[in-house]
Amino acid sequence: MVVWLFAGGGESEIEGLVPFFRKNFPHCHFERLTPAKIKKGPKPGKKRNGPGLTGKGFAYQIRKVLATALLSGTCDLILVLDDLDCRDAGRQREIFSAAIDSVSGIRRFIAFAVPEPEAWIIADWENTFAKHVDFRSFHEGLRYKLSNDYHISFDNPESFSEYDKEKDSCKEKLSQAIIDAVHEESLRLGKRVERYSKANHTPQLLNDTDPKKVAGKCPFFKELYLCLSEKIFCI
């Protein structure tokens, strides 16, 4: 099954999502259409499809890129994945579906990382932070801090934060909470601890994440898991 992947967001999506999907859903052939990785040293004045789009901007990008892709190929499923960032899931689905419908009637599934992909690696802590060379020596203290100081639920990490109308996103960023907690642990321990990098660590940890365990704790991810496992019909 050929799957065209339209992923919103930026750094972690570029490096981590396609390897994660290919590893865990080998019966699907994933082709990432967005985000497009920016090459160093672009020609002056040349327009690029850069990473970082989400929401309505991402929907516009989907419509434009999909129309171009259909000129030379086709797929069995269009998979749209965006950070929900505490927005209303129903409204976001409508925006993305409308963008696709304006170009094609191909089967699609609109999925969300809730609130960000970092929720998935938190859901499978024992295979991610607890084993990674940069965090395993202090992962218990880190987990305690994330739970008690940042109010992250390890049984339901998708529940983190709430919508901020002025920001049009979550009041707090899950990825930033991890960055801050790692830094604070380094201060508490009185020694240098590797700084958490969304661009580097999130893709590495995603590679070690078991989607079955994530599906057991993250309802939005479970929908995506069942779709790609062909246990439900993706509309």
Side-chain angles (χ1 to χ4, degrees):
M1 179 169 69
V2 176
V3 180
W4 282 356
L5 173 61
F6 291 84
E11 296 169 319
S12 60
E13 288 78 2
I14 287 176
E15 300 297 339
L17 285 176
V18 172
F20 172 74
F21 286 135
R22 286 175 177 167
K23 176 182 178 181
N24 293 291
F25 306 99
H27 60 285
C28 297
H29 176 71
F30 292 94
E31 298 178 4
R32 190 190 75 208
L33 275 67
T34 68
K37 189 168 185 176
I38 294 179
K39 296 180 180 179
K40 294 182 180 179
K43 294 180 180 179
K46 185 176 181 180
K47 294 183 179 180
R48 301 170 299 179
N49 261 333
L53 295 179
T54 188
K56 292 182 179 178
F58 180 35
Y60 174 79
Q61 186 185 43
I62 290 172
R63 183 167 64 248
K64 188 171 88 170
V65 173
L66 179 59
T68 300
L70 288 171
L71 294 176
S72 58
T74 189
C75 65
D76 301 298
L77 176 71
I78 294 171
L79 173 59
V80 177
L81 177 63
D82 194 22
D83 295 357
L84 190 57
D85 278 331
C86 301
R87 302 185 186 99
D88 179 77
R91 176 56 183 155
Q92 294 304 111
R93 284 196 177 98
E94 289 176 0
I95 292 172
F96 296 137
S97 286
I100 295 170
D101 287 338
S102 69
V103 179
S104 170
I106 294 176
R107 187 163 64 104
R108 85 291 307 267
F109 190 77
I110 313 297
F112 298 106
V114 181
E116 301 176 75
E118 284 73 21
W120 305 348
I121 59 181
I122 284 177
D124 191 16
W125 187 271
E126 294 305 317
N127 281 323
T128 56
F129 287 94
K131 291 183 178 180
H132 194 282
V133 63
D134 290 339
F135 310 110
R136 63 192 181 197
S137 66
F138 65 101
H139 81 91
E140 292 177 343
L142 178 61
R143 178 173 176 141
Y144 180 85
K145 179 172 287 292
L146 288 170
S147 176
N148 287 271
D149 295 356
Y150 290 90
H151 310 295
I152 295 173
S153 169
F154 283 77
D155 292 325
N156 181 19
E158 290 184 338
S159 65
F160 179 74
S161 196
E162 59 185 3
Y163 182 69
D164 185 317
K165 187 175 181 179
E166 291 186 3
K167 293 181 177 181
D168 188 31
S169 65
C170 293
K171 184 177 292 185
E172 303 91 11
K173 296 285 287 185
L174 180 58
S175 54
Q176 189 61 49
I178 296 172
I179 291 169
D180 292 344
V182 169
H183 176 66
E184 289 163 11
E185 275 298 281
S186 72
L187 297 178
R188 184 184 71 82
L189 294 170
K191 61 180 181 179
R192 183 183 180 279
V193 171
E194 187 70 27
R195 182 174 176 81
Y196 187 89
S197 167
K198 185 175 173 68
N200 297 320
H201 286 119
T202 296
Q204 292 171 18
L205 295 172
L206 275 175
N207 188 60
D208 296 327
T209 301
D210 182 348
K212 291 182 181 179
K213 292 187 177 181
V214 180
K217 296 182 179 179
C218 299
F220 278 93
F221 179 84
K222 184 177 181 179
E223 294 178 3
L224 172 60
Y225 175 75
L226 292 176
C227 171
L228 294 179
S229 299
E230 298 185 318
K231 294 181 179 178
I232 62 171
F233 182 74
C234 305
I235 300 174

